[in-house]
Amino acid sequence: MSARGSSNGRLAVFVASRFIEPVRRAIAEAFDAVFAETSEPLAELARSERVFDAIFFSLDVRMGADRIAALPPGIRALATYSVGLDHVDLEAARSRGLAVFNTPGVLGDSVAENAIFLMLGAARRATEAIGMLREGRWTGWMPDQLVGVQLGGRTLGILGMGDIGRRVAARARAFGMSILYCNRRPLSEADAAGAGYRPTPEALVADSDVLLVACPSTSETRGLVDEALLAHARPGLILVNIARGDIVRDDALVAALREGRLQGAGLDVFAGEPRVHPGYLELPNVFMMPHVGSATVEARMGMGRILIEALLAWQ
Ligand code: GLV
């Protein structure tokens, strides 16, 4: 298929989200690109008299069915700068005949490092420690102060052992953790790399000290981590979510943390972002980051590269 939106043979691309400068430059070099200038990029696109072949966007631009229906007729591809696709109504895109591209395989290391960071933050009580230091409440070393738990010797249960889950497993093994995972089907021996399989989330939770939520958000996984599942948790479980907030029922997690059934949580993602359930903000045993798993130069450059290459190969 050839570019239609541009007269010079290059794809005409509307860039709806804000990218780091080198990615912006690479997009400008590869395509006939127009960059949105306001916080209402789709309104800008609708007003534009230019014909575009594709839209470059990210998680900040939700592509629901209504928005997909309202896209200008020339658009033939959606290129989302994300591995997750839950902000895109894939059925609506398919029925409009749009190609959809995302960024698998380039952000796993960055997200896996963040997962370890969240695990450590929750295990070592980082929220309380940072608060104590920054608010001038530290009165000196005490033998009973901020006693957390170590990861070494504990069991990490990975709910959704895909590429990212396997990268977290590799790092967690170096900490001396044993690894379990739950997928619909067991992995090959090579991919499991010694990790034990649990056929159900309940069995995984019951045998884990740290539960890592690493599955995509789908109609099957939304709300999966609920009160009933958490009832299977070992005392002192640490829950870490690097996937999507809506996989976890906030009220259930907040209650379990408040009641001390869980030791702590490390959260990078939240249901209804940027809203954060107020219960988390009150809990000192919750260590949080504002959805920054892929926010490293390496991952963000890789995400730009892979999307540009995919669109160039497609055109
Ligand atoms: C980030 O959450 C992504 O889906 O890339």
Side-chain angles (χ1 to χ4, degrees), residues 268-288:
D268 187 49
V269 287
F270 303 88
E273 291 175 12
R275 195 191 69 95
V276 174
H277 189 292
Y280 295 135
L281 302 176
E282 288 162 14
L283 283 163
N285 51 350
V286 178
F287 180 56
M288 293 181 283

Side-chain angles (χ1 to χ4, degrees), residues 113-133:
E113 287 182 10
N114 194 46
I116 297 291
F117 178 56
L118 292 167
M119 269 182 225
L120 287 169
R124 301 305 291 264
R125 303 174 56 178
T127 301
E128 290 166 87
I130 293 166
M132 185 186 274
L133 281 167

Side-chain angles (χ1 to χ4, degrees), residues 11 31 101-102 304-315:
L11 280 185
F31 306 111
F101 299 98
N102 67 334
R305 185 179 35 67
I306 197 171
L307 264 194
I308 291 170
E309 284 171 5
L311 274 183
L312 290 174
W314 167 79
Q315 77 170 13

Side-chain angles (χ1 to χ4, degrees), residues 41-313:
L42 296 185
E44 273 182 65
L45 174 64
R47 280 196 305 273
S48 173
E49 285 170 8
R50 302 258 325 251
V51 175
F52 293 100
D53 298 291
I55 309 183
F56 243 84
F57 63 106
S58 193
L59 300 176
D60 56 311
V61 178
R62 295 205 76 78
M63 280 290 176
D66 51 337
R67 288 181 160 181
I68 288 177
L71 290 175
I75 299 285
R76 295 176 293 125
L78 302 178
T80 176
Y81 187 82
S82 64
V83 69
L85 286 164
D86 51 305
H87 59 304
V88 181
D89 189 319
L90 292 176
E91 195 41 55
R94 199 172 304 123
S95 57
R96 224 192 118 152
L98 301 178
V100 177
F101 299 98
N102 67 334
T103 63
V106 287
L107 45 72
D109 286 335
S110 177
V111 177
E113 287 182 10
N114 194 46
I116 297 291
F117 178 56
L118 292 167
M119 269 182 225
L120 287 169
R124 301 305 291 264
R125 303 174 56 178
T127 301
E128 290 166 87
I130 293 166
M132 185 186 274
L133 281 167
R134 291 198 169 263
E135 290 156 24
R137 289 184 286 104
W138 191 37
T139 52
W141 193 94
M142 298 289 275
D144 63 348
Q145 195 171 71
L146 289 173
V147 177
V149 294
Q150 65 179 36
L151 297 180
R154 290 192 151 73
T155 298
L156 170 64
I158 301 182
L159 188 59
M161 179 96 130
D163 172 64
I164 293 174
R166 291 201 294 276
R167 288 172 200 264
V168 179
R171 288 160 174 78
R173 276 186 201 103
F175 278 79
M177 299 187 88
S178 330
I179 315 295
L180 299 174
Y181 72 99
C182 173
N183 279 7
R184 261 178 303 203
R185 278 175 296 280
L187 294 168
S188 69
E189 242 172 71
D191 280 345
Y197 180 63
R198 293 292 180 274
T200 63
E202 289 76 10
L204 182 75
V205 170
D207 289 342
S208 300
D209 300 305
V210 178
L211 178 73
L212 176 74
V213 180
C215 53
S217 166
T218 65
S219 52
E220 284 165 53
T221 61
R222 253 166 248 137
L224 180 64
V225 181
D226 59 4
E227 203 181 321
L229 184 64
L230 292 177
H232 294 266
R234 285 180 177 179
L237 178 79
I238 290 175
L239 184 142
V240 173
N241 190 358
I242 53 160
R244 285 294 183 265
D246 60 6
I247 300 166
V248 174
R249 293 251 183 253
D250 290 331
D251 286 338
L253 178 57
V254 166
L257 288 163
R258 220 177 246 152
E259 290 159 22
R261 284 183 279 132
L262 261 61
Q263 158 102 8
L267 306 175
D268 187 49
V269 287
F270 303 88
E273 291 175 12
R275 195 191 69 95
V276 174
H277 189 292
Y280 295 135
L281 302 176
E282 288 162 14
L283 283 163
N285 51 350
V286 178
F287 180 56
M288 293 181 283
M289 294 294 283
H291 201 153
V292 294
S294 68
T296 58
V297 174
E298 292 81 359
R300 294 286 161 90
M301 294 289 288
M303 292 162 77
R305 185 179 35 67
I306 197 171
L307 264 194
I308 291 170
E309 284 171 5
L311 274 183
L312 290 174

